[in-house]
């Protein structure tokens, strides 16, 4: 399947946004990235309402106990090939909440993460950059597919 | 035999034309919508990329879906839309199946894509999809009334003005353009009907402000919530073809004009080139209509609630339609 990936995928990334327990700061920045001022649509980035349509999962925040199972399910619902982006310091390392009794931990302890965007919260430019760079991972998949 | 080959070849050519042209219209729509918001917007070929990407993705079949209905719905949706195009004249090319069906067939076939979406939504076994499918039904019931009002008023006017001709056939609309039949008062009625027809187009496309069946912020894309990969790509294509079909119907009823009868007095071109000119003119009309009916509205407005939409179609547009009907009827019978 990986060998079939073409350039079309790189330029048409549909994004699904999951909040796995963030303070909402990162989510506001993601919304800012979608506003006309930053115009993420010019790269073909498009926000979708269901993981079934998504190519990219934008996950924000540390994973709380409540969200662990749901996050796994959303990951499995997303059709392959897919990319997971952890947005915000919380998602990368736990951030200010790293000691909380209520956390499972950073996102990569629950689902595999491909791209990390640190910052508390990260700037919209950084988020758009991460989504556009998601094709790097897809390119790697393509390379592996070619070798097989 | 010749007819059969002509029919099959026509279906194929029209299908390819409608898909490619529909995707381009979608690209233009996204670009203009972006420009209205002072954005740069995606390139015109973005819809083609989206379709190619969707075809590469996994085609997920949910556990509690009804597989054969779930997989058949997108195909029926796209196929029925292309079938409608066979009954509508494109430019100066007569309809491929023009002799075997008229506007009534188109009216009935127009319901099939919506039914396919509803059935697909119910069969995908997701509560969001069920809510979306129910909303699609509400929408279908809402816009059917104003739409049939337009067509039957015109058909009645033709049958009074020209007794003995097939009043419901597209060729009649082409031979006697609707605007030329009436005095200014009747034309005002036709204008009201044109506005209603454009609003029906918006609802039929399920675009903002009438996009309740797939409202992504409240019911997670509604009817399409479980669709992915190839099946969703087919729905995407159906959406693109739909705008061509609906615009073609409006063009056939309200603007059946071609460039060739006017221009041929000034320029001489080979016979086949006039067909090309007329088809290009037809495409221009489709783009203009889609910008008015879809792009402007969806960029400028927000989503309406279910009850508001029903009220608009059953109350406001119904009253406007009755007024237009009375104007046209008075004009046709020569009372004014
Ligand atoms: S990284 Fe900062 S802004 Fe983002 S969720 Fe964590 S605390 Fe909030």
């Amino acid at each position: 399947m990986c060998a079939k990936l073409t350039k079309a995928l790189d330029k048409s990334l549909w994004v699904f946004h999951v909040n796995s327990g963030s303070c909402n700061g990162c989510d506001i920045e993601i919304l800012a990235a979608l506003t006309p001022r930053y115009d993420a649509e010019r790269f073909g980035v498009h926000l979708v309402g269901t993981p079934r349509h998504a190519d990219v999962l934008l996950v924000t925040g540390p994973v709380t106990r409540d969200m662990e199972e749901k996050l796994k399910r959303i990951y499995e619902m997303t059709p392959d090939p897919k990319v997971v982006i952890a947005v915000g310091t919380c998602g990368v390392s736990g951030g200010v909440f790293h000691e909380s009794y209520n956390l499972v931990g950073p996102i990569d302890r629950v689902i595999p993460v491909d791209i990390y965007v640190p910052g508390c919260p990260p700037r919209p430019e950084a988020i758009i950059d991460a989504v556009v760079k998601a094709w790097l991972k897809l390119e790697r998949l393509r390379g592996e597919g070619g070798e097989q | 035999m010749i007819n059969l080959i002509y029919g099959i070849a026509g279906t194929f050519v029209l299908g390819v034309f409608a898909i490619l042209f529909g995707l381009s219209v979608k690209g233009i729509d996204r670009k203009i919508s972006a420009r209205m918001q002072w954005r740069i917007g995606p390139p015109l070929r973005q819809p083609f990329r989206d379709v190619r990407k969707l075809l590469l993705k996994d085609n997920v079949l949910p556990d509690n879906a009804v597989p054969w209905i779930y997989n058949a719905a997108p195909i029926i949706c796209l196929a029925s839309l292309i079938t409608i195009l066979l009954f509508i004249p494109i430019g100066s090319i007569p309809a491929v199946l023009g002799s075997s069906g008229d506007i009534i067939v188109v009216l009935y076939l127009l319901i099939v894509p919506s039914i396919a979406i509803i059935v697909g939504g119910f069969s995908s076994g997701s509560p969001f999809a069920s809510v979306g499918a129910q909303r699609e039904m509400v929408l279908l019931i809402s816009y059917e009334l104003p739409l049939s009002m337009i067509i039957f008023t015109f058909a009645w006017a033709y049958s009074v003005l020209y007794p003995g001709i097939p009043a419901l056939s597209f060729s009649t609309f082409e031979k006697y353009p609707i605007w030329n039949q009436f005095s200014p008062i009747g034309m005002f009625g036709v204008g009201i009907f044109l506005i209603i027809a454009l609003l029906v187009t918006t609802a039929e496309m399920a675009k903002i402000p009438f996009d309740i069946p797939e409202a992504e912020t409240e019911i997670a894309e509604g009817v399409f919530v479980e669709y992915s990969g190839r099946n969703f790509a087919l729905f995407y294509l159906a959406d693109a073809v739909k705008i061509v079909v609906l615009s073609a119907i409006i063009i056939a009823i309200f603007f059946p004009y071609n460039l060739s009868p006017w221009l041929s007095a000034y320029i001489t071109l080979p016979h086949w080139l006039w067909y090309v000119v007329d088809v290009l003119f037809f495409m221009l009309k489709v783009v203009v209509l889609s910008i008015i009916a879809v792009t402007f509205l969806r960029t400028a407005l927000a989503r309406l609630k279910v009850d508001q939409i029903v009220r608009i179609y059953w109350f406001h547009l119904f009253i406007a339609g009755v007024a237009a009907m009375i104007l046209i009827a008075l004009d046709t019978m020569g009372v004014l």
Side-chain angles (χ1 to χ4, degrees):
Chain A
M1 193 257 323
C2 297
K4 280 199 301 182
L5 289 176
T6 67
K7 280 263 178 245
L9 197 58
D10 312 340
K11 299 274 175 57
S12 153
L13 292 167
W14 290 7
V15 174
F16 182 70
H17 167 206
V18 193
N19 179 342
S20 69
S22 91
C23 78
N24 215 22
C26 288
D27 309 284
I28 289 173
E29 294 304 313
I30 288 177
L31 290 187
L34 295 164
T35 51
R37 185 181 174 81
Y38 292 98
D39 188 19
E41 202 190 356
R42 73 200 136 117
F43 303 115
V45 176
H46 172 59
L47 189 76
V48 293
T50 158
R52 288 268 194 248
H53 300 179
D55 311 297
V56 178
L57 287 181
L58 274 184
V59 192
T60 59
V63 185
T64 57
R65 286 189 198 292
D66 191 38
M67 279 304 284
E68 189 189 359
E69 280 310 308
K70 290 163 191 154
L71 188 57
K72 279 185 194 156
R73 246 182 88 186
I74 289 174
Y75 180 77
E76 266 147 30
M77 277 172 85
T78 313
D80 287 328
K82 60 194 159 195
V83 177
V84 178
I85 302 180
V87 177
T89 307
C90 284
V92 175
S93 66
V96 286
F97 304 118
H98 74 282
E99 287 179 323
S100 171
Y101 54 86
N102 217 359
L103 291 187
V104 180
I107 295 162
D108 53 9
R109 216 169 284 166
V110 183
I111 55 174
V113 175
D114 301 295
I115 298 166
Y116 299 88
V117 189
C120 179
R123 294 192 58 85
E125 289 95 335
I127 299 172
I128 295 178
D129 191 41
V131 174
V132 175
K133 287 234 175 82
W135 61 265
L136 280 178
K137 137 120 187 195
L138 296 168
E139 204 135 79
R140 213 183 60 226
L141 277 178
R142 183 158 48 212
E144 285 166 8
E147 279 161 28
Q148 278 163 12
Chain B
M1 192 61 200
I2 294 286
N3 272 346
L4 189 70
I5 294 172
Y6 179 63
I8 293 172
T11 313
F12 184 74
V13 172
L14 258 184
V16 172
F17 164 77
I19 287 174
L20 294 182
F21 180 47
L23 286 176
S24 316
V25 171
K26 223 175 153 104
I28 295 172
D29 159 69
R30 282 173 77 169
K31 192 78 184 174
I32 289 179
S33 167
R35 281 303 159 112
M36 282 175 74
Q37 299 176 330
W38 285 41
R39 293 188 283 130
I40 297 172
L44 284 181
R45 63 176 186 281
Q46 187 63 41
F48 292 91
R49 286 174 174 165
D50 286 350
V51 170
R52 255 170 71 195
K53 180 209 68 180
L54 282 170
L55 289 174
L56 289 175
K57 299 274 289 180
D58 262 2
N59 193 8
V60 184
L61 181 69
D63 276 346
N64 44 358
V66 187
W68 67 274
I69 305 182
Y70 180 81
N71 287 324
I75 299 171
I76 295 174
C77 189
L78 184 58
S80 59
L81 281 165
I82 292 176
T83 315
I84 300 174
L85 266 188
L86 298 180
F87 292 98
I88 306 173
I90 308 278
S92 50
I93 304 173
V96 178
L97 293 180
S99 51
S100 41
D102 52 16
I103 298 183
I104 301 279
V105 180
V106 171
L107 260 192
Y108 275 104
L109 278 176
L110 214 46
I111 305 176
V112 179
S114 303
I115 300 276
I117 290 176
I118 292 169
V119 170
F122 276 130
S123 71
S124 52
S126 154
F128 289 122
S130 302
V131 174
Q134 283 159 15
R135 289 180 175 198
E136 174 84 37
M137 262 196 284
V138 172
L139 204 57
L140 180 67
I141 297 166
S142 308
Y143 64 65
E144 275 305 306
L145 177 67
L147 183 64
S148 21
M149 246 161 101
I150 299 173
I151 285 166
F152 289 110
T153 310
F154 287 170
W156 174 80
Y158 277 129
S159 67
V160 172
L161 292 171
Y162 305 98
I165 57 159
L168 275 167
S169 127
F170 279 119
S171 58
T172 309
F173 281 81
E174 201 171 347
K175 208 144 87 206
Y176 311 101
I178 193 78
W179 301 92
N180 306 352
Q181 311 305 320
F182 305 116
S183 64
I185 294 175
M187 268 159 85
F188 185 65
V190 178
I192 295 178
F193 271 149
L194 176 60
I195 293 171
I196 296 178
L198 289 173
L199 283 174
V200 167
T201 307
T202 320
E204 196 127 3
M205 289 295 293
K207 287 279 148 60
I208 297 172
F210 307 117
D211 69 333
I212 46 167
E214 47 201 271
E216 74 269 7
T217 37
E218 18 176 322
I219 51 170
E221 316 264 352
V223 273
F224 303 130
V225 66
E226 294 290 349
Y227 278 100
S228 64
R230 179 178 51 83
N231 281 340
F232 188 58
L234 286 175
F235 272 131
Y236 195 98
L237 291 179
D239 186 60
V241 174
K242 213 179 207 175
I243 186 64
V244 178
V245 171
L246 296 172
S247 306
I249 294 174
I250 294 190
I251 289 169
I253 293 176
F254 289 96
F255 308 107
Y257 305 104
N258 287 317
L259 278 182
S260 48
W262 296 346
L263 280 185
S264 51
Y266 307 104
I267 327 167
T268 38
L269 286 177
H271 189 57
W272 59 271
L273 212 55
W274 282 118
Y275 285 119
V276 178
V277 169
D278 284 338
V279 169
L280 286 178
F281 187 54
F282 167 84
M283 288 160 77
L284 180 72
K285 288 189 278 192
V286 170
V287 170
V288 171
L289 280 179
S290 76
I291 290 172
I292 296 171
V294 174
T295 316
F296 282 180
L297 287 180
R298 97 181 162 92
T299 315
L301 299 174
R303 183 180 310 130
L304 293 171
K305 288 189 288 186
V306 183
D307 59 322
Q308 286 171 327
I309 289 175
V310 178
R311 198 172 319 129
I312 284 183
Y313 283 99
W314 280 76
F315 189 68
H316 299 149
L317 288 191
F318 179 70
I319 304 260
V322 170
M325 223 160 147
I326 293 172
L327 288 179
I328 290 177
L330 292 178
D331 203 336
T332 314
M333 296 189 295
V335 180
L336 293 171

